[in-house]
Amino acid sequence: MENQEKKLFLLDAFALIFRAYFAFSNNPRINSKGFNTSAVFGFTNTLLEVLKKYKPTHWAVVFDTSAPTHRHEEFVEYKANREAMPEDLASSLPYIFRLVEALNIPMFAMDGFEADDVIGTLARQAESEGFITFMMTPDKDYGQLVTDKTFILKPARAGGAAEILGPPEVCARFEVEQPMQVIDILGLMGDKVDNIPGIPGVGEKTAIQLIKTYHSVERMLENTHELKGKLREKVEAHRELAIQSKRLATIRCDVPVSFEADAIKVAPFHSDLVRELFAELEFRRLASQLLGEELPSAPKIAAAQMNLFDETAPETPASARAEVNETAMLKRLSDYPHTFKVINSTDGILEMVKDLLERPAFAFDTETTDLEAINAELVGLSFSAAPGTGYWIPTPNSRSETVALLDLLKPLFLNEKVIKIGQNIKYDLTVLANYGIQIKGPLFDTMLAHYLLQPDMRHNMNVLAETYLHYSPVPIEALIGPKGKKQKSMRDADPQLLADYAAEDAEVTLRLHDVFLPMLSDEGNAKAMLAQVEMPLVPVLAFMERQGVRIDEGALNAMSGQLQTDIQTLEQEILALAGTSFNIASPRQLGEVLFDVLGIDPQAKKTKTGQYATGEDVLSKLAHKHPIIDKILDFRELQKLKSTYVDALPGMVNPITGKVHTSYNQAVAATGRLSSNNPNLQNIPIRTARGREIRRAFLPSSPNRVLLSADYSQVELRIIASLSGDQTMIDAFSHGADIHATTAAKVFGVSLDAVTTEMRRKAKMVNFGIIYGISAFGLSERLNIPRKEAKEIIDNYFTQFSRLKSYMDDCIEQAREKGYVETILGRRRYLRDIHSANAVVRGFAERNAINAPIQGSAADVIKMAMIHIHRAMEADRMQSSMILQVHDELVFDVEQEELGAVQSLVRFHMEHAVELAVPLVVEMGVGTNWLEAH
């Protein structure tokens, strides 16, 4: 197919746009004006990928129109159950039209017909003219159009690869002889998305079997006497509905649209329109890739006119956009008046120190040889105390000479009055600590300030400078070249370029501080959150990262060998139970063995790719049906443990320290929770016995030490009890009662003594599920109980805990009224979709309205505990240290003789981190490894 001269790509616009929008639903892309650019960004990437990867000769984007189609005229309920388009997506459409225009892609749309009809017609006409056509869409209905010249290009999903589907793939997906029979399958089973009814009670598996037997809807209806029981009754009672549904599912190929090859040739894009649009949307990286030049910043007039709650807000006139763009180009260093001094002498350093000590604040930055702070060597430092000015101090290659030079800067860093400003300042603290330099006094991190102001945006310096300063810093590639094997070290960079680059970093950081400081004061409790929580936590995390944790590599290697043996044994047992040889790691082959060969579940569902669903949630429910299921689940667990942890952790051991040094991220999770990477401690397994064994390899730093684990008990439930004021929960926690047993007694209407283990299990699931907005369906799935019973449990729960229900309703109402919810300490979570007319989007925001204050408050609690514990241990000059934070747990590397003191100190500060209406309770354990201590 790649060798064909004429390749036509027809893109199903709205299907791809919706897909792009929802791909970012958990982490939407919000620009500086508060506009959700997810749909436009995702769709742009789709178009550019088609152009780059598939190299079409011809292409077109096909849109639906708002006019009723022939299907609506025949069947009034057609697509009647579709949710309203999310407001953010609706407001993106003008930009998407401008995008297609800017990229010079032909557009098609025709009233009375849907995009698939237009695509079907164009594909048939193109085929007759010798084209190979690719219909880009995730929609399964297009399978009916596939031929040896016309294919579906199904876009990538969840990290997978895009798929090209021809007749063999479509026929395999629907188990039919020819693609046109897809229409018959859809006619019988219907289509919930489009509200095509089909025959009530006939699902996909039954429809496939009927078409396998009779080949078409019409032939099946001629032979209904051969059908049995209720199926015959259903079919005969809905004969006309089956015919009508097939008609509704048929894609028309006779739309009055003309295929003109010359008119849809791929042509050069309009660079001026791309530049203007990308500047407005702040797609700077995409613009750099596509245009290879700098962009104008977003027109201020557009921001003034935009109202996210007003769908009728006028688009900025082209003339106004052009006028603004002429004066709003991003400034570069060459356009910006500045005085940057390079300091190469002791006298120069002392003079700079004297100058900066007289200032209320200064910004600084380190330039190093490595992105990993623990491994980084200093190349130099830069400082700035006033806009347009900066200093650059290169450091010698010799470590001893660098240490001597840094001694001259100690008065500056140790001064407790001058504010030290940085961008991701934790990195700089760690680098300087490598050379024995401590930093005292107040800190201000522009990355964390912006995180509190706009938690859903990106926070790197270039983005912040472009967004808030309309300034484009010197790119790192200008110094050391593009990423790859040939990239230079910072030590090899041109000295003058390096001086400008480094001094600019400090100067830009200073200017960002000046912008963010008043914004923090205007944003509720953001200024206090930065000063009292996030900034004091920075040196704590920097200290923990430098401490690291010792890993028993020998134990991990032994574990790896044992796991490999166990995996091979399981593999043989699985193949023996299956009675055939297959690749257990292949979901497709596994599904075929489980459901076609072994017939474990006649009602097994298939995914959108046509293969059986074999996820853990699916297989867990089938464990009682065949012994092969448990072995497959064990096989998967052991493979993941081996590859992700047991084999990976030894490779993360630092050769200098002999320890693993994770990196904590404060500015990632919008809830305020910390995350970590290299390794990701938050994902260290805990649910299974084999998974917990990983913790056995985490050791104290020396033989005369132990590990102490301190874990909050049910902290989120205690927080929700306190926030809601529910007296039953408050009483249970205040008296040390078993909250799950108390809940079970209330929900099931029995005395506490009569609560069974099963009752408690169900109550525990509800207690934790309520925080995440669990539904009756979700509870029934998790507990493997009928949905009716699950609904009764939830209804009883809210009857007994009415204050909790009121609190949850109040959270949603506050979000609707104010646009945000807050934690106990005032951390805000903005919920832009809380008023969405789309139930799915709105429901997601409503669940966040309930969950964010709870999760965020839990994050605030442990952060405050960490700050107080670290300060107390420093004040007492303890040799022991806090080394790990995982969810609600802290781990300490403790000198044996300090154990009692550390336990008392940790318990006090964790249990008094914040004041709640219920006590905070900490569970502790001590051991020679993390597993023993946990």
Side-chain angles (χ1 to χ4, degrees):
M1 288 182 290
E2 289 295 315
N3 296 324
Q4 293 292 329
E5 184 180 350
K6 297 189 293 186
K7 289 196 301 185
L8 169 64
F9 282 72
L10 299 172
L11 284 74
D12 184 356
F14 278 111
L16 297 172
I17 292 163
F18 268 86
R19 188 184 186 88
Y21 173 78
F22 283 107
F24 291 97
S25 58
N26 289 331
N27 188 24
R29 292 182 61 91
I30 311 296
N31 70 9
S32 65
K33 297 184 288 292
F35 182 66
N36 186 339
T37 63
S38 301
V40 195
F41 180 78
F43 191 54
T44 303
N45 276 321
T46 297
L47 295 174
L48 297 182
E49 181 184 18
V50 167
L51 201 58
K52 181 179 179 181
K53 184 174 181 181
Y54 298 102
K55 297 179 172 53
T57 59
H58 299 70
W59 63 344
V61 177
V62 185
F63 289 88
D64 294 300
T65 73
S66 58
T69 69
H70 60 93
R71 295 180 181 88
H72 294 95
E73 293 170 5
E74 178 178 345
F75 186 62
V76 177
E77 289 82 12
Y78 181 68
K79 292 192 176 181
N81 59 354
R82 283 216 168 171
E83 290 283 356
M85 182 183 291
E87 288 78 1
D88 281 349
L89 203 161
S91 61
S92 297
L93 294 183
Y95 294 98
I96 286 169
F97 292 132
R98 285 172 58 191
L99 169 70
V100 177
E101 179 188 2
L103 293 177
N104 203 9
I105 309 173
M107 284 187 275
F108 287 87
M110 183 159 288
D111 285 348
F113 299 94
E114 294 182 59
D116 49 7
D117 298 318
V118 177
I119 288 175
T121 302
L122 291 172
R124 288 290 178 263
Q125 293 179 20
E127 189 171 320
S128 69
E129 295 192 23
F131 277 79
I132 295 292
T133 300
F134 297 88
M135 305 173 293
M136 190 170 192
T137 180
D139 192 343
K140 64 181 183 298
D141 299 9
Y142 281 79
Q144 64 189 271
L145 297 172
V146 168
T147 69
D148 61 347
K149 300 287 187 184
T150 300
F151 301 85
I152 293 174
L153 174 57
K154 189 173 183 181
R157 181 182 181 89
E163 296 178 78
I164 294 178
L165 308 179
E169 291 80 12
V170 171
C171 290
R173 160 68 178 88
F174 288 97
E175 301 178 38
V176 292
E177 296 175 356
Q178 52 182 326
M180 285 292 288
Q181 289 175 302
V182 169
I183 308 171
D184 295 280
I185 301 288
L186 295 172
L188 293 178
M189 64 180 277
D191 188 332
K192 290 183 179 178
V193 175
D194 290 341
N195 206 32
I196 296 174
I199 296 177
V202 172
E204 182 176 334
K205 289 182 70 69
T206 303
I208 287 172
Q209 282 304 124
L210 288 171
I211 298 307
K212 271 186 178 180
T213 304
Y214 298 106
H215 308 292
S216 71
V217 170
E218 291 79 7
R219 284 193 62 184
M220 180 205 67
L221 294 175
E222 291 171 4
N223 294 278
T224 55
H225 60 281
E226 296 178 6
L227 304 179
K228 296 178 181 179
K230 289 188 176 180
L231 179 58
R232 177 176 178 177
E233 292 175 18
K234 292 175 185 175
V235 170
E236 291 186 339
H238 298 94
R239 299 175 68 93
E240 293 304 318
L241 204 54
I243 295 294
Q244 183 184 43
S245 294
K246 179 177 178 178
R247 206 161 45 237
L248 292 170
T250 301
I251 294 176
R252 296 271 297 269
C253 293
D254 59 350
V255 176
V257 59
S258 297
F259 176 79
E260 297 177 16
D262 289 344
I264 59 172
K265 278 185 178 178
V266 172
F269 57 83
H270 301 299
S271 57
D272 54 339
L273 297 181
V274 170
R275 187 181 300 108
E276 178 183 319
L277 178 63
F278 282 14
E280 199 168 325
L281 295 171
E282 300 172 14
F283 290 174
R284 310 207 182 282
R285 209 164 296 280
L286 274 177
S288 177
Q289 293 170 9
L290 194 60
L291 299 170
E293 61 182 69
E294 187 50 76
L295 276 180
S297 61
K300 295 178 182 178
I301 190 168
Q305 290 184 338
M306 182 179 297
N307 181 341
L308 294 176
F309 301 102
D310 180 8
E311 292 187 34
T312 63
E315 186 182 350
T316 307
S319 58
R321 289 199 301 269
E323 180 182 347
V324 173
N325 284 344
E326 288 174 9
T327 58
M329 295 294 289
L330 288 178
K331 286 186 177 179
R332 288 184 177 275
L333 187 59
S334 56
D335 310 316
Y336 181 63
H338 63 279
T339 304
F340 292 164
K341 295 181 180 179
V342 179
I343 302 179
N344 285 307
S345 67
T346 298
D347 289 344
I349 292 174
L350 294 175
E351 185 180 338
M352 182 203 75
V353 168
K354 181 182 178 183
D355 173 36
L356 296 184
L357 283 174
E358 294 173 356
R359 311 276 186 154
F362 67 84
F364 78 101
D365 187 44
T366 58
E367 300 303 336
T368 68
T369 59
D370 202 303
L371 292 175
E372 295 292 334
I374 197 73
N375 300 322
E377 297 177 8
L378 262 178
V379 176
L381 299 97
S382 57
F383 298 85
S384 179
T389 67
Y391 299 96
W392 165 242
I393 305 175
T395 54
N397 291 350
S398 162
R399 179 180 174 82
S400 60
E401 291 178 25
T402 297
V403 169
L405 183 152
L406 291 174
D407 279 343
L408 301 173
L409 297 172
K410 278 185 178 179
L412 193 58
F413 287 125
L414 293 176
N415 186 287
E416 299 202 15
K417 294 181 180 180
V418 181
I419 300 169
K420 290 84 178 173
I421 303 163
Q423 163 75 15
N424 188 18
I425 202 169
K426 175 161 66 71
Y427 178 90
D428 304 298
L429 264 62
T430 301
V431 170
L432 290 174
N434 292 343
Y435 291 85
I437 300 294
Q438 277 190 302
I439 297 183
K440 299 288 187 180
L443 304 174
F444 187 104
D445 190 330
T446 50
M447 178 184 76
L448 294 178
H450 189 255
Y451 169 65
L452 288 170
L453 293 168
Q454 294 283 356
D456 290 312
M457 276 184 69
R458 290 175 295 157
H459 315 292
N460 72 67
M461 193 191 77
N462 282 13
V463 169
L464 299 182
E466 290 167 356
T467 302
Y468 294 94
L469 305 177
H470 303 298
Y471 182 88
S472 180
V474 174
I476 184 70
E477 291 80 9
L479 276 74
I480 58 176
K483 286 183 180 179
K485 292 181 180 179
K486 295 184 179 179
Q487 190 174 57
K488 296 186 295 186
S489 164
M490 287 294 261
R491 288 198 189 281
D492 303 322
D494 177 271
Q496 186 56 54
L497 282 178
L498 178 56
D500 285 345
Y501 172 87
E504 179 192 55
D505 273 1
E507 195 269 348
V508 165
T509 300
L510 180 79
R511 286 197 282 150
L512 287 172
H513 162 270
D514 295 346
V515 171
F516 293 151
L517 192 59
M519 292 173 69
L520 288 166
S521 300
D522 294 340
E523 201 69 25
N525 210 38
K527 187 175 182 180
M529 284 295 300
L530 185 69
Q532 297 168 19
V533 182
E534 298 299 348
M535 290 317 310
L537 185 65
V538 169
V540 179
L541 295 178
F543 175 83
M544 291 169 63
E545 290 176 6
R546 277 181 50 77
Q547 289 297 303
V549 59
R550 192 160 70 92
I551 297 293
D552 189 340
E553 294 183 64
L556 287 172
N557 290 332
M559 196 183 301
S560 179
Q562 184 59 54
L563 284 173
Q564 184 60 37
T565 300
D566 293 347
I567 288 168
Q568 291 171 347
T569 301
L570 275 172
E571 186 172 13
Q572 294 306 312
E573 291 174 351
I574 290 168
L575 296 181
L577 286 168
T580 184
S581 180
F582 70 101
N583 181 1
I584 303 168
S586 165
R588 182 179 292 279
Q589 292 184 36
L590 176 63
E592 290 168 354
V593 168
L594 294 181
F595 305 119
D596 290 337
V597 177
L598 298 179
I600 289 176
D601 182 11
Q603 305 300 317
K605 295 180 179 179
K606 289 188 175 182
T607 66
K608 292 181 178 180
T609 61
Q611 64 188 44
Y612 288 106
T614 58
E616 182 181 350
D617 55 334
V618 173
L619 296 188
S620 297
K621 295 171 191 171
L622 301 174
H624 63 286
K625 292 196 173 185
H626 200 289
I628 197 173
I629 301 294
D630 276 334
K631 292 189 181 295
I632 289 166
L633 292 172
D634 288 345
F635 175 85
R636 286 180 173 176
E637 181 198 357
L638 298 191
Q639 275 203 322
K640 181 176 180 181
L641 287 177
K642 186 175 184 299
S643 62
T644 307
Y645 302 104
V646 177
D647 291 345
L649 280 171
M652 296 180 184
V653 173
N654 186 289
I656 298 173
T657 67
K659 295 180 179 180
V660 167
H661 300 265
T662 191
S663 295
Y664 289 99
N665 309 307
Q666 281 175 267
V668 172
T671 58
R673 285 281 197 185
L674 292 173
S675 66
S676 63
N677 59 291
N678 295 326
N680 180 352
L681 296 176
Q682 316 303 325
N683 285 348
I684 294 287
I686 192 61
R687 289 193 298 172
T688 64
R690 295 298 288 267
R692 287 192 290 273
E693 280 295 311
I694 303 294
R695 297 183 178 221
R696 194 180 297 280
F698 287 72
L699 304 175
S701 57
S702 64
N704 64 331
R705 290 190 171 219
V706 292
L707 292 185
L708 166 67
S709 167
D711 200 349
Y712 276 118
S713 172
Q714 301 166 333
V715 65
E716 290 185 342
L717 290 179
R718 293 172 189 273
I719 286 168
I720 200 171
S722 185
L723 288 173
S724 68
D726 187 276
Q727 200 57 49
T728 301
M729 293 185 80
I730 290 173
D731 288 345
F733 281 125
S734 297
H735 294 99
D738 181 335
I739 186 64
H740 302 312
T742 301
T743 301
K746 289 283 187 180
V747 169
F748 294 106
V750 298
S751 67
L752 201 57
D753 295 340
V755 171
T756 65
T757 303
E758 183 63 14
M759 287 177 180
R760 186 184 182 279
R761 182 178 79 90
K762 292 177 179 178
K764 181 178 180 179
M765 186 62 73
V766 179
N767 271 333
F768 287 116
I770 286 299
I771 298 170
Y772 298 95
I774 197 168
S775 64
F777 174 77
L779 186 62
S780 69
E781 289 279 296
R782 293 191 195 183
L783 293 176
N784 198 22
I785 60 175
R787 199 177 303 182
K788 182 180 179 183
E789 181 184 346
K791 184 177 185 304
E792 289 174 357
I793 291 174
I794 290 177
D795 288 345
N796 289 343
Y797 185 93
F798 283 131
T799 299
Q800 294 298 325
F801 298 96
S802 57
R803 285 290 304 145
L804 185 56
K805 182 67 169 70
S806 298
Y807 165 74
M808 293 167 71
D809 292 340
D810 290 345
C811 284
I812 294 172
E813 190 54 40
Q814 179 189 335
R816 287 174 181 156
E817 181 183 334
K818 297 182 177 180
Y820 61 84
V821 289
E822 290 181 310
T823 66
I824 289 172
L825 297 184
R827 181 190 303 277
R828 287 184 179 179
R829 178 73 191 274
Y830 290 90
L831 300 164
R832 306 176 65 259
D833 297 321
I834 197 70
H835 293 284
S836 176
N838 182 284
V840 174
V841 175
R842 186 177 64 253
F844 185 77
E846 288 174 351
R847 287 190 295 276
N848 272 336
I850 297 165
N851 175 244
I854 301 163
Q855 269 209 20
S857 293
D860 293 345
V861 165
I862 200 163
K863 284 179 175 179
M864 291 302 294
M866 293 168 73
I867 292 164
H868 294 316
I869 290 168
H870 181 76
R871 287 174 175 172
M873 293 179 78
E874 274 194 333
D876 291 348
R877 300 182 180 278
M878 287 185 168
Q879 298 301 305
S880 305
S881 54
M882 181 163 52
I883 58 171
L884 297 175
Q885 185 274 349
V886 182
H887 300 302
D888 303 319
E889 177 186 9
L890 298 175
V891 180
F892 300 82
D893 187 33
V894 182
E895 287 278 357
Q896 288 273 16
E897 61 188 32
E898 292 181 345
L899 181 58
V902 171
Q903 284 176 309
S904 298
L905 181 152
V906 169
R907 185 179 299 280
F908 176 82
H909 287 294
M910 286 185 76
E911 293 185 348
H912 294 86
V914 298
E915 291 303 316
L916 300 178
V918 298
L920 285 167
V921 173
V922 174
E923 296 171 348
M924 288 188 177
V926 178
T928 56
N929 59 64
W930 190 10
L931 181 63
E932 281 184 16
H934 185 73

